[in-house]
Amino acid sequence: VLLNVQVEGSLEPITSDRGKVKGSYHFVFEFIGLEAMGCVKWQQTHECADGVTMVLEGMTAGVEGTSLSCTETTNVPGCIVEFRCEECLLASSEAVVHLLVAGQFVFAHEVCWRVALSWSRHQPVTGLSALGSCITPAATCDGCVMRGTAISAVKLAVVPTMYTNMLNDTVGNGFRLQYTSHSVGSNISYHELHEATGGIGID
């Protein structure tokens, strides 16, 4: 997931000190039909298996740091990966969250993502913006699954905005999320599974 703050226009645009405004980010990735790999390291825990890795670029975590957890789904084979960054700062104009699920023959039929951005608890008002959707194999690839070396990418804009209430002299600074684009990574035929390398990567 790419978070880009260089976007014109917002509810009430601000330009000064926007890189100093904190927010709490909650990323949820659901790999539907994830096969051939354990989602968690130990049963009945939320510690991710060794093949699940998350790398953060362009974001500075607050004192509470970050957390990564995994949960096996029970209704259908799959895995839910959750990543939290509490009271984080965008350290550059573009921040990237790299998620890789690797393992021998690992694949998924679909990946659904959700991102929620809460305004800093140090702001005088509460603010929340959330987006979500699903990524599936290309429509031109009949009967394909997601696996390979090419990553999928979802690009969201983090638009700085502010809340103003002149009745009680309240001003709050935060962000709202805006969907920009997405691309689908490697797709392979189920019959080619044993020949493909890599895993499922999402930025």
Side-chain angles (χ1 to χ4, degrees):
V1 176
L2 308 174
L3 304 175
N4 188 346
V5 300
Q6 291 183 331
V7 176
E8 295 297 329
S10 68
L11 297 178
E12 189 171 341
I14 61 174
T15 56
S16 61
D17 294 333
R18 64 183 181 180
K20 298 180 182 180
V21 179
K22 296 181 179 180
S24 293
Y25 297 80
H26 182 201
F27 300 86
V28 180
F29 302 91
E30 182 174 2
F31 295 83
I32 300 174
L34 182 70
E35 299 282 0
M37 184 201 110
C39 173
V40 295
K41 183 174 290 187
W42 310 105
Q43 292 296 320
Q44 308 302 319
T45 72
H46 293 286
E47 183 177 359
C48 295
D50 293 336
V52 180
T53 57
M54 181 81 76
V55 177
L56 188 64
E57 295 181 6
M59 296 178 71
T60 303
V63 294
E64 297 181 19
T66 62
S67 64
L68 178 67
S69 64
C70 294
T71 304
E72 289 183 330
T73 55
T74 56
N75 52 341
V76 295
C79 180
I80 297 176
V81 180
E82 295 191 54
F83 176 74
R84 295 179 183 270
C85 187
E86 303 291 341
E87 295 294 318
C88 290
L89 283 172
L90 292 176
S92 65
S93 62
E94 187 171 89
V96 185
V97 175
H98 304 277
L99 173 62
L100 176 63
V101 179
Q104 188 176 21
F105 306 135
V106 63
F107 68 89
H109 298 285
E110 183 179 42
V111 178
C112 292
W113 59 270
R114 298 187 298 276
V115 179
L117 170 55
S118 301
W119 289 22
S120 171
R121 59 176 173 269
H122 301 294
Q123 294 294 324
V125 293
T126 300
L128 173 67
S129 182
L131 293 172
S133 188
C134 294
I135 302 174
T136 59
T140 55
C141 190
D142 186 36
C144 287
V145 294
M146 301 178 68
R147 174 180 169 81
T149 56
I151 62 173
S152 298
V154 178
K155 190 168 187 178
L156 306 177
V158 179
V159 185
T161 188
M162 67 185 299
Y163 168 87
T164 303
N165 187 332
M166 292 182 291
L167 295 178
N168 57 13
D169 195 27
T170 299
V171 177
N173 293 304
F175 300 96
R176 64 181 176 89
L177 293 173
Q178 178 179 299
Y179 170 81
T180 301
S181 63
H182 81 277
S183 59
V184 181
S186 295
N187 301 270
I188 62 169
S189 168
Y190 187 83
H191 303 291
E192 301 172 331
L193 189 62
H194 66 286
E195 302 174 358
T197 59
I200 308 170
I202 298 179
D203 279 359

